[in-house]
Amino acid sequence: MNLYGRDFLKLLDFTPDEIEGLIELAATLKAKKKAGVPHRLCEGKNIALIFEKTSTRTRCSFEVAAHDLGMGCTYLDPSGSQIGKKESIADTARVLSSMFDGIEYRGYGQEIVEELAEYSSVPVWNGLTNEFHPTQILADFLTIKEIYGHLKGINFLYMGDARYNMGNSLMVGCAKLGLNFTACAPKKYFPNAELVKTCEKLAKESGGSITLTENPAEAAKGQNVVYTDVWVSMGEPDEVWAERIADLSPYQVNSKLMQATDNAIFMHCLPSFHDLKTTTGKLINEKFGIDCMEVTDEVFESPRSAVFQEAENRMHTIKAVMAGTLTKSL
Ligand code: CP
Ligand code: NVA
């Protein structure tokens, strides 16, 4: 695998072998970290992290991974830079790539991170856009591989809002690596038709499949993995809550759904609204009278829940993306 100098903007840009190579590299780097073996593969380099939306996992993963690889790291928060307000993306890219060896970007439209990459002379990594969240999928697939030992042929069910970053990226990842992807949601939350078509073609090549359905009871049968995400994503207006709760409540991941699967594991990119321990969770409870949303607390806290293993794997996989794109010898 030679990814030296490449951007990491979306999984569609990578071959199945390259994606599998990154997952393998992440597993190797994870084993090294656990064994206390230093792996300062990028000694002396520096990276910039641009976050136009908030983050816990992605930011911490980039920072810890950068330190483990021997790199310096500068964080630019949603309000603390000139980006977008006083300086264009193209100018920002040229300034930052003259100082840093790699740039992470989290924000709104995919076209922004694509433009940043176009004008940057160093690798740009997508830390989440409205359309895609590719580093998350590497962590999810490393987790599935750790639990099931393989990816090909895994029956993967995505419940809920499938037309946003997580639904899109998981569908692409499954199509590339030969998993059987099912999205279960009301029709208006299906991924866009063009992307579905692309993924159907990819699935044919990889031996996977793409299914879209509105029926949770049918969808659950034979599944190995059940995945969901929040019903309202960062950057969406508060006004959509009522509609989302009405539309997506029948697609909540609960014990009844999990019992209809083939002893599936539960996965979620996090953060998740599974209890009333958040301010948003409390507000929604006061307004709509529900005590959880996309997943019940029972499923979230169950022994089949892999969410914290998945969260840890964000760091190991992001480390692999940086090491893979910043070094020649891997
Ligand atoms: N899963 C994920 O991207 O989490 P953060 O928003 O905390 O980075
Ligand atoms: N769909 C979510 C994913 C968070 C990791 C969002 O964009 O807010």
Side-chain angles (χ1 to χ4, degrees):
M1 181 181 68
N2 182 8
L3 301 180
Y4 178 68
R6 294 267 300 273
D7 300 311
F8 190 76
L9 305 180
K10 57 187 183 302
L11 294 178
L12 287 169
D13 301 336
F14 290 82
T15 66
D17 281 351
E18 288 170 339
I19 299 169
E20 272 166 21
L22 283 170
I23 295 168
E24 280 309 303
L25 177 58
T28 305
L29 294 171
K30 182 173 181 177
K32 283 196 174 152
K33 170 101 178 171
K34 299 276 176 199
V37 178
H39 42 283
R40 297 172 70 84
L41 301 168
C42 304
E43 188 80 59
K45 294 188 190 290
N46 290 288
I47 62 164
L49 309 179
I50 305 172
F51 278 84
E52 299 207 270
K53 291 175 177 170
T54 52
S55 168
T56 296
R57 275 147 294 275
T58 310
R59 175 186 176 179
C60 294
S61 295
F62 271 100
E63 292 208 9
V64 172
H67 291 305
D68 286 353
L69 291 170
M71 295 196 284
C73 185
T74 299
Y75 172 70
L76 298 163
D77 75 18
S79 59
S81 77
Q82 316 284 24
I83 299 164
K85 298 169 282 288
K86 283 174 66 181
E87 194 157 33
S88 69
I89 291 296
D91 292 357
T92 304
R94 287 173 287 184
V95 171
L96 292 183
S97 59
S98 72
M99 299 180 194
F100 293 95
D101 300 284
I103 304 167
E104 179 275 355
Y105 175 85
R106 164 173 287 197
Y108 296 87
Q110 179 72 15
E111 71 281 358
I112 301 171
V113 77
E114 301 274 351
E115 187 182 358
L116 192 66
E118 189 188 330
Y119 285 91
S120 166
S121 57
V122 299
V124 171
W125 309 298
N126 179 357
L128 178 146
T129 59
N130 295 346
E131 291 83 359
F132 294 113
H133 195 7
T135 62
Q136 177 73 50
I137 289 21
L138 297 181
D140 299 340
F141 283 12
L142 173 60
T143 308
I144 295 170
K145 217 168 168 191
E146 287 172 341
I147 293 169
Y148 284 108
H150 64 101
L151 292 169
K152 247 187 209 322
I154 288 287
N155 296 325
F156 186 105
L157 172 61
Y158 181 88
M159 297 291 297
D161 181 6
R163 62 158 201 134
Y164 219 68
N165 41 27
M166 286 312 308
N168 289 343
S169 310
L170 286 165
M171 180 171 69
V172 175
C174 288
K176 287 253 177 191
L177 296 193
L179 292 81
N180 299 310
F181 177 84
T182 301
C184 183
K187 263 203 187 78
K188 69 179 177 195
Y189 297 94
F190 283 175
N192 86 60
E194 203 182 318
L195 188 62
V196 172
K197 233 192 215 162
T198 305
C199 288
E200 280 168 348
K201 253 190 233 151
L202 292 168
K204 226 177 221 165
E205 290 161 23
S206 70
S209 61
I210 306 292
T211 307
L212 306 179
T213 172
E214 294 188 280
N215 184 334
E218 277 301 310
K221 284 182 198 159
Q223 296 295 344
N224 306 121
V225 178
V226 175
Y227 200 113
T228 192
D229 182 18
V230 290
W231 289 341
V232 177
S233 286
M234 289 182 277
E236 294 197 286
D238 284 345
E239 290 72 53
V240 301
W241 273 112
E243 188 189 13
R244 294 289 163 78
I245 290 168
D247 289 345
L248 296 175
S249 288
Y251 297 86
Q252 180 190 63
V253 178
N254 52 35
S255 294
K256 189 172 162 229
L257 183 97
M258 293 303 285
Q259 276 156 19
T261 66
D262 183 12
N263 193 27
I265 56 165
F266 171 71
M267 300 185 78
H268 192 308
C269 53
L270 306 183
S272 159
F273 294 120
H274 59 95
D275 60 20
L276 297 178
K277 294 178 188 157
T278 62
T279 45
T280 306
K282 282 188 195 120
L283 275 174
I284 295 297
N285 174 255
E286 281 160 25
K287 220 168 158 193
F288 299 98
I290 53 175
D291 57 13
C292 58
M293 290 186 245
E294 71 276 5
V295 57
T296 60
D297 199 45
E298 193 182 6
V299 170
F300 187 92
E301 296 291 355
S302 73
R304 294 303 282 165
S305 174
V307 296
F308 296 112
Q309 183 176 341
E310 187 184 356
E312 179 193 328
N313 283 339
R314 295 298 311 286
M315 198 282 284
H316 305 299
T317 43
I318 280 173
K319 189 184 284 177
V321 170
M322 291 199 288
T325 55
L326 292 180
T327 58
K328 278 185 182 151
S329 55
L330 287 170

